[in-house]
């Protein structure tokens, strides 16, 4: 699985977006999540199961300072 | 001291009457020039050409400063100026964040122009009193106060021997002196510095805004680059402006309806979305302390580490729960529904000349808590707020103060300096008492405070020359570039942010580009070209706020609900479109994103060439200290060992049999070469030579092939 165009080392079967966010400690609330280009709403994070070949983007919309 | 006594001791040096020019489409086209050496006051016309090329705000500041100085001018030269300018949008009350002033001078930190964007009521009131900009030149013999009275249409320079110097006292004294009732006080705004601005190079200016609910004059800061030091060196205690009135249409806009409509749209977004997004109304910018810690980006112990187990003691909810007052109108200009200017009321000071006083502390903002807190290893919220308060009232920059104290603390812990040198201050990381003692020394102009107050750049030199410190090591760990201290983000793991700090005009302040998440976490700008594009677009886009008199926060600290579905969410195009509408609504001239960027590029390139004219602004000046690029010491390396090793293995390095020192050296070589390649790409994108000099072709393309600019760049082509 790719996470933000990098190979995701922590992939395991039946992993959800919610799990990825937890593993990566992405605690920032304003995330833009896409799986294979499809936008995933926050309410779907825990029900969206990821496959090994998925291209996942979790972008933090933090333009800071 | 009572106000009458202060007044009785005033001596009028000059009084000048003027005819007030009303605003037309956001401009008065007049500048107020004051020379405090000879007490000359005059009103200058702003030419159409000036308006076209420099727009306003920082653009005007840079142009006037260029005309005032020579390459030999230093910060304390008589001809150096302090310019306060607003932009054409500045002073509207319908769109959040429209009350900013831009302040420019030759900096005592960097010897090049500095610009600082500051809230408070001064800038808009200056405009409503008839002036797009204020230029102050010269040096007074004795302490003076300048009063710009927009009601009476007079400008006075008065000797003011008895007024206080510290910001919170003087702001209050002068607000009460010139405002007889609560509503009149609201029409007064004061610029002050503070006592530490007299003894350090890191002086700031405080701009007041009267808070009706708290019944006190609160302050916003023009913080970076030592402008307050120049102010006090000129023997100015304060500049006061008194406005006649505040109304929603004083800018005499081309189309007020467009401005109203655009404002209402953003107010709605704030009302519906802020609590789901950044909670600016409740917390302000402090909301990111814990975020930065969680992502290993919070500077800890002089930028060595990116997080600390004690961060929870100074996270935003602690300040909200225990200190900040809620449900107060915390906008630093009328109509700012983002209202991020939080304050702690009834805060009892434990140290210093105001010990026991209950004061209003403006803050904390992220930079304060990160700088005077985490970066110095201080995780005591009371100490953070107390340091924050004293930085403001003494008139010093919290960012520089945080970074330079952290540097001194690291030097102390490493034995480069000791108690004998610090005059007994036990400058260990985490020692809040020592930091407070240091700040009080700065205000008194004594002890180690005098040395530290010169900033990291000069401390390095001092430690090498006087105590035999290792120059190369201090170059590595001192977080400064061009003489200015770094602001409070860790750029080690983000090449783009290394450029965001290093490839700036004024020095390493993050207000040009903040790309850490886009780069390091989101991986949205993986190539040098992608990073260079971002390091062109964002600095130019953000320069525009400074031309117009706008605050950056309402651009990206709240975003439209559907922003994530747009092509480039980081740009927040809907808000960018709002700015085009505001510009059109005010001036009657339509612009698009391309023209917006060109407006900024004109001023940005002008400032770059100004730097070259003053002896900096070349590639060698854009180099950055290694502490901000990678691990200098073994401890730093080991704290992220697995990440570094993974990175190097992915890059194809063979690490077998290598010692930690060898691995650090390998990584360093790689990262330094990456920064050079990034520099090449950015210069190319900006239309500069590989030495960082804007080319004549670029200037021509921008309509900035002015003879004085071409002359400066000629020897470098
Ligand atoms: S967002 Fe905050 S700093 Fe900006 S104008 Fe509003 S209150 Fe002032």
């Amino acid at each position: 699985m790719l996470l933000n165009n990098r190979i995701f080392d922590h992939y395991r079967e039946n992993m959800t977006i919610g799990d990825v966010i937890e593993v990566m400690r992405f605690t920032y609330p304003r995330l833009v999540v896409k799986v294979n280009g499809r936008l995933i709403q926050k309410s779907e994070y825990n029900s969206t199961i990821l496959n090994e070949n998925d291209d996942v983007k979790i972008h933090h919309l933090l333009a800071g300072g | 001291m009572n106000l009458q006594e202060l007044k009785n001791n005033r001596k009028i040096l000059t009084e000048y009457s003027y005819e007030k020019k009303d605003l037309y489409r956001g401009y008065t086209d007049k500048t107020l020039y004051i020379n405090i050496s000879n007490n000359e006051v005059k009103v200058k016309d702003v030419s159409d050409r000036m308006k076209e090329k420099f727009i306003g705000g920082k653009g005007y500041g840079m142009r006037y400063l260029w005309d005032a100085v020579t390459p030999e001018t230093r910060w304390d030269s008589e001809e150096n100026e302090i310019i306060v300018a607003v932009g054409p949008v500045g002073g509207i009350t319908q769109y959040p964040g429209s009350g900013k002033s831009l302040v420019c001078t030759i900096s005592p930190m960097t010897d090049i122009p500095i610009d600082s964007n500051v809230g408070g009521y001064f800038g808009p009131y200056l405009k409503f009193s008839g002036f797009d900009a204020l230029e102050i030149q010269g040096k007074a013999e004795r302490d003076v106060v300048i009063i710009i009275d927009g009601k009476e249409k007079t400008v006075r320079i008065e000797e003011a021997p008895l007024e206080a110097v510290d910001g919170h006292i003087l702001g209050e004294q002068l607000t009460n002196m010139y405002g007889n009732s609560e509503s009149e006080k609201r029409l007064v705004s004061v610029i002050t510095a503070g006592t530490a601005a007299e003894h350090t190079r890191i002086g700031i200016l405080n701009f007041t805004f009267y808070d009706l609910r708290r019944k006190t004059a609160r302050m916003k800061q023009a913080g970076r680059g030592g402008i307050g030091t120049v102010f006090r060196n000129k023997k100015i205690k304060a500049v006061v402006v008194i406005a006649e009135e505040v109304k929603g249409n004083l800018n005499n806009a081309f189309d007020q309806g467009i401005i109203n409509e655009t404002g209402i749209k953003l107010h709605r977004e704030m009302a519906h979305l802020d609590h789901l997004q950044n909670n600016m109304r409740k917390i302000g910018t402090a909301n990111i302390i814990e975020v930065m810690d969680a992502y290993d980006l919070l500077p800890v112990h002089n930028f060595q580490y990116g997080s600390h187990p004690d961060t929870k003691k100074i996270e935003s909810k602690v300040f909200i729960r225990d200190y900040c007052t809620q449900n107060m109108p915390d906008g630093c200009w009328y109509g700012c529904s983002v209202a991020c200017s939080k304050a702690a009321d009834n805060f009892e000071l434990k140290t210093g000349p105001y010990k026991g006083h209950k004061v209003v502390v403006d803050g904390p903002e992220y930079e304060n808590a990160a700088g005077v807190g985490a970066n110095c290893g201080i995780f005591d919220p009371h100490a953070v707020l107390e340091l924050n308060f004293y930085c403001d009232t003494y008139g010093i920059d919290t960012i520089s103060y945080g970074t330079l104290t952290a540097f001194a603390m690291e030097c102390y812990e490493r034995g480069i300096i000791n108690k004998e040198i610090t005059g007994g201050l036990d400058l260990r990381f985490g020692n809040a008492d020592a930091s407070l003692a240091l700040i009080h020394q700065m205000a008194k102009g004594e002890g180690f405070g005098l040395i530290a107050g010169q900033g990291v750049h000069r401390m390095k030199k001092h430690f090498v020359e006087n105590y035999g410190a290792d120059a190369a090591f201090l170059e590595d760990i001192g977080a400064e570039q061009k003489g200015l201290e770094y602001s409070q983000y860790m750029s080690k793991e983000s090449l783009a942010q290394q450029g965001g700090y290093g490839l700036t005009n004024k020095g390493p302040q993050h207000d040009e580009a903040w790309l850490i998440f886009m780069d390091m976490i989101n991986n949205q700008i993986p190539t040098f070209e992608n990073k260079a594009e971002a390091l062109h677009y964002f600095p130019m886009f953000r320069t525009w706020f400074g031309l117009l008199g706008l605050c950056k926060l309402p651009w990206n600290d709240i975003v439209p609900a559907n922003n994530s579905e747009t092509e480039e969410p980081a740009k927040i195009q809907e808000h960018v479109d709002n700015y085009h509408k505001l510009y059109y609504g005010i001036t009657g001239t339509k612009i698009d994103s391309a023209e917006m960027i060109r407006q900024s590029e004109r001023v940005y390139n002008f400032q770059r060439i100004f730097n070259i004219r003053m002896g900096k602004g070349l590639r060698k000046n854009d180099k950055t200290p290694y502490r901000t690029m990678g691990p200098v010491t073994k401890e730093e390396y080991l704290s992220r060992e697995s990440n570094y090793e993974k990175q190097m293995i992915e890059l194809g390095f063979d690490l077998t049999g290598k010692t930690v020192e060898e691995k650090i050296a390998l990584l360093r070589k790689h990262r330094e070469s990456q920064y050079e390649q990034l520099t090449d790409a950015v210069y190319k994108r900006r239309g500069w030579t590989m030495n960082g000099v804007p080319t004549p072709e670029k200037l021509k393309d921008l309509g900035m092939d002015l003879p004085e600019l071409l002359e400066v760049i000629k020897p470098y082509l």
Side-chain angles (χ1 to χ4, degrees):
Chain A
M1 189 193 102
L2 280 181
L3 174 62
N4 294 344
N5 289 328
R6 296 177 182 118
I7 292 166
F8 182 60
D9 295 334
H10 310 282
Y11 179 79
R12 55 184 157 71
E13 230 172 287
N14 291 330
M15 204 170 197
T16 65
I17 291 286
D19 296 332
V20 176
I21 290 172
E22 202 181 307
V23 171
M24 294 304 291
R25 295 178 59 217
F26 286 165
T27 53
Y28 183 66
R30 270 165 59 196
L31 301 175
V32 180
V33 179
K34 287 186 179 166
V35 176
N36 304 323
R38 188 174 76 86
L39 192 70
I40 309 288
Q41 299 300 334
K42 204 171 191 163
S43 56
E44 301 171 283
Y45 288 176
N46 290 331
S47 55
T48 306
I49 295 180
L50 298 166
N51 296 312
E52 210 170 345
N53 297 326
D54 281 343
D55 176 4
V56 180
K57 300 239 164 46
I58 304 183
H59 286 176
H60 293 61
L61 196 53
L62 182 63
Chain B
M1 190 164 303
N2 74 35
L3 295 178
Q4 198 52 48
E5 204 178 336
L6 299 180
K7 274 188 188 164
N8 291 345
N9 282 279
R10 288 275 182 91
K11 180 178 160 197
I12 299 183
L13 299 177
T14 203
E15 177 154 7
Y16 173 90
S17 298
Y18 66 94
E19 224 172 281
K20 189 169 115 185
K21 170 104 183 301
D22 284 333
L23 281 143
Y24 177 68
R25 297 188 179 178
Y27 291 98
T28 64
D29 292 330
K30 300 282 176 197
T31 291
L32 177 63
Y33 171 88
I34 299 175
N35 189 313
I36 49 172
S37 291
N38 58 13
N39 299 318
E40 180 194 3
V41 179
K42 65 180 177 192
V43 176
K44 289 163 59 169
D45 290 327
V46 179
S47 69
D48 288 344
R49 189 177 154 84
M50 168 99 164
K51 223 157 97 173
E52 178 208 320
K53 302 225 182 283
F54 295 92
I55 308 296
K58 168 177 159 172
Y60 282 15
M62 287 296 155
R63 176 76 253 187
Y64 284 132
L65 192 59
W66 177 295
D67 292 340
V69 304
T70 71
E72 286 71 45
T73 301
R74 289 296 166 259
W75 68 277
D76 54 353
S77 305
E78 198 163 333
E79 70 273 16
N80 189 17
E81 289 195 346
I82 295 172
I83 298 121
V84 183
V86 204
V89 175
I92 64 167
T93 57
Q94 295 78 18
Y95 196 85
S98 303
K100 294 285 182 165
S101 307
L102 276 293
V103 194
C104 300
T105 194
I106 299 293
S107 159
M109 311 291 294
T110 62
D111 296 322
I112 54 175
I114 187 86
D115 57 278
S116 214
N117 176 321
V118 54
Y121 294 172
F122 190 93
Y125 286 1
L126 179 72
K127 245 174 106 168
F128 302 159
S129 299
F131 308 107
D132 294 338
L134 164 69
E135 261 181 286
I136 306 176
Q137 196 172 35
K139 278 194 202 190
E141 258 171 54
R142 281 178 281 276
D143 281 334
V144 295
V145 170
I146 297 167
I147 305 116
I148 303 162
D149 190 334
K151 271 192 209 162
E152 302 293 326
K153 281 90 181 159
T154 58
V155 178
R156 294 194 306 280
I157 307 173
E158 298 181 3
E159 266 179 23
L162 299 186
E163 277 76 356
V165 173
D166 282 340
H168 79 293
I169 307 268
L170 182 55
E172 203 75 36
Q173 280 175 347
L174 296 177
T175 302
N176 291 334
M177 188 180 287
Y178 295 103
N180 292 323
S181 62
E182 286 300 288
S183 55
E184 278 190 11
K185 284 179 195 170
R186 230 184 160 189
L187 292 170
V188 175
S189 179
V190 184
I191 307 178
T192 67
T195 43
E198 295 170 1
H199 308 294
T200 66
R201 286 176 188 257
I202 56 172
I204 55 160
L205 295 181
N206 288 301
F207 281 51
T208 69
F209 61 108
Y210 191 72
D211 184 331
L212 271 181
R213 297 266 287 275
R214 293 183 172 89
K215 297 199 184 328
T216 189
R218 294 176 54 195
M219 309 186 295
K220 294 295 270 188
Q221 289 73 33
R224 304 303 332 259
I227 306 174
T229 303
V230 179
F231 193 80
R232 287 303 295 137
N233 183 263
K234 290 185 177 301
K235 291 207 180 300
I236 307 171
K237 269 192 179 166
V239 185
V240 182
V241 67
I242 306 159
E244 202 170 9
E245 59 177 348
V246 179
K247 283 197 305 204
N249 60 357
L250 286 179
N251 266 290
N252 199 359
F254 166 74
D255 185 340
Q256 188 67 39
I258 294 179
I259 297 168
N260 296 349
E261 229 173 77
T262 314
I264 289 168
K265 201 166 71 159
L266 193 63
H267 293 316
R268 283 214 187 103
E269 264 172 45
M270 274 313 291
H272 295 138
L273 301 170
D274 181 49
H275 65 289
L276 303 171
Q277 296 182 8
N278 287 336
N279 243 338
M280 297 299 282
R281 290 176 68 82
K282 195 165 177 202
I283 314 176
T285 62
N287 72 70
I288 58 173
I289 297 168
E290 48 272 33
V291 176
M292 291 300 128
D293 186 82
Y295 289 81
D296 212 18
L297 291 166
L298 181 75
V300 170
H301 294 183
N302 193 29
F303 299 92
Q304 292 182 82
Y305 313 109
S307 61
H308 195 282
D310 286 340
T311 300
K312 57 183 176 304
K313 295 182 185 162
I314 56 163
E315 65 186 14
S316 57
K317 62 175 177 251
V318 174
F319 290 107
I320 298 165
R321 190 189 61 213
D322 300 342
Y323 298 97
C324 290
T325 320
Q326 291 302 312
N327 303 319
M328 285 291 213
D330 282 320
C332 74
W333 174 240
Y334 290 78
C336 188
S337 50
V338 179
C340 75
S341 306
K342 307 318 295 176
D345 289 299
N346 286 317
F347 180 81
E348 188 168 343
L349 297 164
K350 290 183 180 168
T351 69
Y354 307 112
K355 183 176 169 180
H357 289 208
K358 288 195 173 161
V359 294
V360 177
V361 187
D362 272 288
E365 294 190 25
Y366 166 74
E367 295 285 337
N368 314 140
V372 305
N375 212 2
C376 297
I378 294 170
F379 296 95
D380 166 356
H382 194 286
V384 166
L385 278 172
E386 183 140 346
L387 285 161
N388 189 162
F389 171 80
Y390 274 115
C391 277
D392 290 349
T393 199
Y394 284 160
I396 54 177
D397 175 14
T398 45
I399 296 178
S400 278
Y401 180 81
T403 298
L404 70 84
T405 305
F407 170 76
M409 285 177 160
E410 184 172 355
C411 289
Y412 183 84
E413 290 215 340
R414 293 188 186 281
I416 296 165
I417 56 172
N418 54 33
K419 256 193 188 166
E420 213 179 300
I421 293 165
T422 65
L425 291 181
D426 181 22
L427 279 179
R428 275 173 298 111
F429 283 120
N431 190 349
D433 292 343
S435 181
L436 282 157
L438 183 68
I439 205 169
H440 298 314
Q441 287 185 352
M442 287 183 185
K444 288 191 210 138
E446 62 182 37
F448 188 68
L450 269 180
I451 296 166
Q454 300 301 301
V456 172
H457 183 74
R458 289 170 179 82
M459 259 196 283
K460 287 190 299 194
K461 197 161 176 275
H462 185 78
F463 296 168
V464 171
E465 284 172 3
N466 296 289
Y467 313 126
D470 175 350
F473 183 67
L474 294 196
E475 283 306 319
D476 279 351
I477 67 164
E480 65 89 11
Q481 187 227 39
K482 299 185 177 84
L484 188 71
E485 283 76 18
Y486 271 69
S487 69
Q488 310 298 337
Y489 296 98
M490 292 284 281
S491 52
K492 267 184 203 166
E493 304 312 317
S494 164
L495 178 60
Q497 189 54 35
Q498 289 163 28
Y501 273 132
L503 306 173
T504 48
N505 269 334
K506 68 176 163 232
Q509 166 71 356
H510 58 276
D511 64 348
E512 282 197 12
W514 197 95
L515 304 173
I516 301 182
F517 272 71
M518 264 184 99
D519 184 38
M520 179 179 123
I521 315 272
N522 301 348
N523 196 23
Q524 286 167 288
I525 42 176
T527 67
F528 288 116
E529 283 65 35
N530 298 150
K531 291 184 207 312
E533 183 55 39
L535 283 168
H536 179 254
Y537 176 79
F538 287 104
M540 298 312 143
F541 173 69
R542 292 174 69 150
T543 292
W544 200 79
F545 293 128
L547 306 183
L548 275 289
L550 291 164
C551 173
K552 162 260 157 195
L553 301 176
W555 160 57
N556 71 348
D557 277 278
I558 176 79
V559 301
N562 65 351
N563 186 62
S564 55
E565 292 155 32
T566 60
E567 212 170 295
E568 291 181 277
K571 288 189 175 171
I572 314 166
Q573 193 58 42
E574 192 177 316
H575 288 179
V576 178
D577 293 341
N578 287 352
Y579 292 119
H580 301 160
K581 285 185 192 147
L582 290 182
Y583 187 81
Y584 175 62
I586 289 282
T587 64
T589 304
K590 286 205 161 138
I591 54 164
D592 55 14
S593 291
E595 179 53 21
M596 191 180 197
I597 297 301
R598 280 171 70 80
Q599 287 183 340
S600 292
E601 275 189 290
R602 290 187 192 112
V603 174
Y604 197 90
N605 281 279
F606 183 86
Q607 190 174 354
R608 179 75 178 183
I609 297 172
F610 201 162
N611 284 354
I612 299 171
R613 181 182 180 224
M614 301 307 288
K616 290 188 181 170
L618 299 175
R619 187 174 187 123
K620 63 177 186 228
N621 307 109
D622 287 344
K623 298 236 178 297
T624 55
Y626 191 63
R627 173 57 59 79
T628 65
M629 301 168 78
V632 174
T633 64
K634 212 168 162 176
E635 307 90 83
E636 282 168 86
Y637 181 88
L638 293 175
S639 74
R640 289 198 175 103
E641 188 178 24
S642 56
N643 286 351
Y644 292 138
E645 302 218 336
K646 187 171 167 241
Q647 263 178 42
M648 285 193 280
I649 289 164
E650 278 170 12
L651 287 165
F653 291 124
D654 179 8
L655 301 181
T656 38
K658 298 258 184 315
T659 63
V660 170
E661 285 79 4
E662 285 166 341
K663 289 179 201 166
I664 293 174
L666 261 182
L667 187 66
R668 179 170 187 151
K669 202 167 161 223
H670 169 72
R671 290 196 171 185
E672 286 180 337
S673 119
Q674 295 270 298
Y675 185 76
E676 292 304 323
Q677 290 178 66
L678 176 72
T679 305
D680 287 347
V682 172
Y683 285 178
K684 189 169 160 222
R685 177 63 187 88
R686 291 183 182 171
W688 297 353
T689 69
M690 288 303 112
N691 194 16
V693 180
T695 61
E697 298 74 42
K698 179 73 192 175
L699 295 177
K700 189 159 196 296
D701 177 51
L702 292 172
M704 288 299 278
D705 48 345
L706 314 175
E708 64 272 34
L709 299 187
L710 295 171
E711 195 188 313
V712 171
I713 60 173
K714 208 163 143 200
Y716 301 97
L717 298 172

